[in-house]
Amino acid sequence: MPVTSQLLRGFPRAKVLASSLLPCQQHQAQSGPAAHRPRSGRPSRMWQGHQHSRSYRTTTVLGSYILTPPQVNSILKANEYSFKVPEFDGKNVSSVMGFESNQLPANAPIEDRRSAATCLQTRGMLLGVFDGHAGCACAQALSERLFYYIAVSMLPHNTLCELEAAVEAGRPLSPILQWHKHPNDYFSKEAQTLYFNSLRTYWQELIDLTSPGDIPETREALLNAFKRLDSDISLEAQVGDPNAYLHYWVLRVAFSGATACVAHINGSDLFIANSGDARAVLGVQAEDGSFSAHTLSNDHSAQNEEEVARIRAEHPPSERKTVIRQDRLLGLLMPLRAFGDVKFKWSIELQKGVLESGPDQLHENEHTKFIPPNYHTPPYLTAEPEITYHKLRPQDRFMVIGSDGLWETLHRQEVVRIVGEYLTGVHLRQPLKVGGYKVTLGQMQGLLEERKARISSAFEDQNSATHLIRHAVGNNEFGTVDHERLSKMLSLPEELARMYRDDITIIISQFNPHVFGAQRPEAQC
C-alpha cells in the first residue's frame, strides 16, 4: 500500500470525484433546501449584488408549496450523523459521550462542510464546522486537511521523527486520525498526494524547529495548524500543478474562502480555535434543571468592535473609512477572518500573474478577475484563529458548534434551551409569550394545544442536530414549530432558498459530567 494511503486511510470509503468535475459540482446537495424568513441585509457572504431579490414577499412565494410530514422528515434527516464514543477508549474514560451532526443546504450545492475525528497518536477529539463562500472549494479542502495539520502539530518531536523515518524507509504508517463521517461526505482522491506532500513538508519543518522530548502545547498547535494550512493553500495556488484538474482545483480553493470553528476536547480541557463567524456555545445546566448558554467563541465580523479596531490598526489612517464599509471588509466580505480568499491577501501583481498562467476556466470567472476597491495595502485578511480555553465542569452538559446560518435564525439561549430539553427529556413550562402580538382567546388556546402536541412529539427526531434544525427553520413568531411553515420553507426552489437563509451545519457533542467531577484541577495547556 502506498505511503500516502497508509497515513490517510482514516478517510472513509466515500464518494470519489470524477476528474472532469469539481467536488462542489458533484456534491449531492439534498433537494428541497429550507428557509426561515427573507434574510434582509445579508444577500451573500461575499457580494452585495442581488439585493433587489429581497422584494419577494413571503406570502406570495410560499403560498403554493406544501410537503407532507414524511417528506419533511426525509429532507431534514438526509444528512444526519451520530457517533457514540466507547466509554473506555483504551486510555481513559472518555469525557465525550458522543456527538450528533446534521446539515441543511440553502445554496446549491451546499457550501458548508463538517468534520469529526479522534486523534489516535495523541489524545482528544476534534470537531469542526467550515462555512464556505464564493463556492465550496475552500471549505471542502479544510474539511479534509485541517485536522491532519492539527494532529501533526500536536505530535511530540520523537513521534514526528518516527513518522518521517517510516516514510523514508517505505514502512507502513499508523493512521493519526480516526474519521467519523457521514456516508455522503467525500474526499478528493485526485488531490490526496498533493495534500500528503504539503503535510509532510510541514512535519519536516517541525522536526527541524523542535528538540527531542518536546511536546507541543495545544494552544500553540492549533494556532500553527491554522496558519500553516492557509499558507499552503496560497503557495499551492501560486506554484500550480502539472495535472490540469489539480491546477484548476488549487486555484478554486485559494480564490474561494471559508471560515472555521474547531473544538479540541481532551478530558476536561476544551479548546476552541475560531476564524470567522461560525460559533461554539456551551449548554450549562443549573440545579433547577434549566439551561443557560456560555459562548465559547467570538464572531469575527463588523459587529465585533475589537476585530474592526484590529483591522484598522493594521492599515494606514488614510484607509480608515474604506477598510470596513457597510459592515464588510473593503465593502465586500462579511467574515473578517477566513481561509483562502487570496483576493484579499495577495498583491494585485501576484493575482494577475497567477491568473494569466492559470487554466482558461478561471478567465471566464468574473469573481477571480475582480479587484476589490480601495485595495492598497494587502493583506487585509487572515486565517489566524482566536483561541479560547474552558475547563469543563460537571454542569457543562453539551456544546453546539454551528455555522452562522443557525445563529441568524435562533438566539444562542434558545438554541441551548431546545437542545437541553431534547437531551434531558424535560420541557420546562415557561410562561407562553406572544411577543406583543394581539391574540384572541381562540388563538391562545390553539397555541397551548400546539405546545402540548410539541412536547408529546419531541422525540420524533432521533438526532439532536436534526431537532434543532427543525426549530431553526420551522419556528413561528411564538417560538413553536409550525409544520405548515416548515413544509413551505423546505419546499422552496433552489433559486429562492438562499434569499431566505444560509446553509445550516450543526455539531452537538454531549459531555460525561462524571469524568469532570472526578478529575482534579490541572494547569491550563
Side-chain angles (χ1 to χ4, degrees):
M1 180 181 295
V3 168
T4 303
S5 301
Q6 294 165 1
L7 180 68
L8 307 184
R9 68 184 179 203
F11 281 120
R13 298 294 297 178
K15 190 177 302 180
V16 177
L17 308 178
S19 60
S20 59
L21 289 179
L22 288 175
C24 300
Q25 296 168 329
Q26 202 174 23
H27 185 266
Q28 298 298 312
Q30 297 298 325
S31 61
H36 184 74
R37 59 178 65 88
R39 303 174 65 244
S40 58
R42 191 168 183 261
S44 167
R45 294 171 63 83
M46 186 70 191
W47 310 113
Q48 297 186 54
H50 309 296
Q51 288 185 338
H52 62 278
S53 299
R54 304 301 169 170
S55 62
Y56 286 106
R57 294 172 61 95
T58 307
T59 54
T60 302
V61 172
L62 305 182
S64 59
Y65 301 98
I66 296 293
L67 296 172
T68 65
Q71 289 174 321
V72 167
N73 287 337
S74 178
I75 293 171
L76 290 179
K77 297 179 179 183
N79 296 310
E80 66 180 15
Y81 179 82
S82 62
F83 178 76
K84 181 176 175 59
V85 177
E87 184 175 352
F88 183 75
D89 64 4
K91 301 176 183 177
N92 62 331
V93 177
S94 175
S95 59
V96 180
M97 298 170 61
F99 71 88
E100 297 174 328
S101 68
N102 202 349
Q103 293 184 295
L104 188 68
N107 293 286
I110 187 172
E111 293 181 340
D112 282 5
R113 294 293 186 271
R114 59 184 163 172
S115 290
T118 300
C119 299
L120 296 179
Q121 298 197 29
T122 56
R123 293 168 57 176
M125 173 171 281
L126 289 165
L127 304 169
V129 168
F130 313 103
D131 189 349
H133 47 265
C136 67
C138 190
Q140 175 61 33
L142 296 188
S143 71
E144 297 181 42
R145 306 180 69 181
L146 182 56
F147 284 9
Y148 279 118
Y149 278 70
I150 294 172
V152 164
S153 298
M154 292 192 296
L155 291 177
H157 175 89
N158 294 348
T159 305
L160 290 172
C161 292
E162 293 171 2
L163 196 64
E164 176 61 18
V167 175
E168 282 288 337
R171 296 196 304 269
L173 299 175
S174 299
I176 60 177
L177 291 174
Q178 177 189 354
W179 290 94
H180 312 299
K181 283 184 175 287
H182 187 279
N184 286 348
D185 295 341
Y186 59 84
F187 69 101
S188 175
K189 182 178 180 180
E190 291 84 355
Q192 191 174 133
T193 299
L194 170 69
Y195 292 169
F196 176 81
N197 290 337
S198 293
L199 183 67
R200 183 186 180 189
T201 299
Y202 177 43
W203 82 51
Q204 289 173 336
E205 294 181 12
L206 288 176
I207 290 173
D208 293 338
L209 293 172
T210 57
S211 303
D214 284 356
I215 300 177
E217 294 183 348
T218 303
R219 182 185 298 272
E220 182 182 2
L222 290 167
L223 179 68
N224 292 339
F226 271 60
K227 293 170 66 175
R228 178 53 181 251
L229 177 54
D230 192 52
S231 175
D232 282 354
I233 288 172
S234 175
L235 181 61
E236 289 161 2
Q238 295 176 49
V239 173
D241 195 279
N243 180 293
Y245 167 78
L246 282 180
H247 191 181
Y248 184 37
W249 175 244
V250 296
L251 289 170
R252 283 290 302 274
V253 171
F255 277 89
S256 62
T259 66
C261 186
V262 173
H264 180 265
I265 311 160
N266 180 20
S268 60
D269 295 321
L270 169 61
F271 285 88
I272 301 293
N274 184 53
S275 180
D277 52 10
R279 188 182 301 171
V281 171
L282 200 63
V284 183
Q285 189 172 29
E287 292 184 0
D288 65 0
S290 63
F291 287 88
S292 61
H294 175 73
T295 304
L296 295 167
S297 62
N298 297 312
D299 295 355
H300 299 133
S301 66
Q303 283 65 51
N304 184 333
E305 295 182 359
E306 292 184 1
E307 189 70 2
V308 171
R310 176 190 67 80
I311 293 175
R312 284 178 171 160
E314 293 174 352
H315 299 277
S318 59
E319 296 186 59
R320 180 175 179 80
K321 294 183 179 180
T322 59
V323 70
I324 303 289
R325 292 180 57 249
Q326 298 178 320
D327 290 341
R328 294 168 180 259
L329 184 66
L330 297 177
L332 296 174
L333 189 64
M334 287 285 287
L336 302 184
R337 300 192 194 192
F339 284 83
D341 282 322
V342 294
K343 296 195 69 62
F344 297 89
K345 298 173 181 177
W346 289 356
S347 67
I348 294 176
E349 294 73 22
L350 179 57
Q351 292 186 44
K352 290 181 178 179
V354 169
L355 290 176
E356 287 174 1
S357 61
D360 293 338
Q361 297 99 311
L362 284 180
H363 300 162
E364 302 167 4
N365 189 320
E366 292 299 322
H367 161 59
T368 57
K369 293 188 292 185
F370 179 78
I371 301 297
N374 302 298
Y375 196 80
H376 306 300
T377 56
Y380 289 90
L381 189 66
T382 181
E384 180 174 335
E386 183 176 7
I387 298 174
T388 54
Y389 172 82
H390 180 80
K391 175 72 77 174
L392 289 168
R393 309 157 297 178
Q395 62 266 36
D396 298 332
R397 304 308 297 271
F398 61 87
M399 176 180 62
V400 180
I401 307 177
S403 59
D404 64 335
L406 170 66
W407 311 108
E408 289 176 346
T409 57
L410 291 174
H411 187 272
R412 63 182 181 275
Q413 184 57 46
E414 185 71 358
V415 166
V416 165
R417 182 192 66 79
I418 292 169
V419 175
E421 291 182 356
Y422 174 87
L423 293 177
T424 61
V426 177
H427 297 263
L428 301 177
R429 299 296 186 90
Q430 301 293 338
L432 187 63
K433 299 179 181 179
V434 295
Y437 291 89
K438 294 181 179 180
V439 296
T440 65
L441 288 176
Q443 290 172 322
M444 181 65 75
Q445 181 182 1
L447 288 170
L448 291 171
E449 290 176 349
E450 183 179 337
R451 169 193 264 191
K452 182 179 179 180
R454 174 166 62 91
I455 292 172
S456 64
S457 63
F459 295 98
E460 64 182 352
D461 294 316
Q462 302 301 312
N463 183 296
S464 57
T466 303
H467 186 68
L468 185 54
I469 289 177
R470 188 182 298 273
H471 278 266
V473 177
N475 269 13
N476 58 22
E477 57 267 35
F478 305 114
T480 59
V481 175
D482 181 333
H483 172 74
E484 183 177 357
R485 176 181 178 81
L486 178 61
S487 171
K488 291 176 179 178
M489 295 300 128
L490 288 174
S491 62
L492 282 175
E494 293 176 353
E495 63 271 16
L496 295 183
R498 185 59 178 87
M499 299 175 184
Y500 283 76
R501 65 162 187 84
D502 200 354
D503 299 327
I504 297 177
T505 297
I506 299 168
I507 301 177
I508 300 173
S509 56
Q510 281 186 265
F511 300 125
N512 186 347
H514 304 294
V515 173
F516 309 141
Q519 290 181 345
R520 297 179 179 178
E522 297 177 0
Q524 178 178 332
C525 293

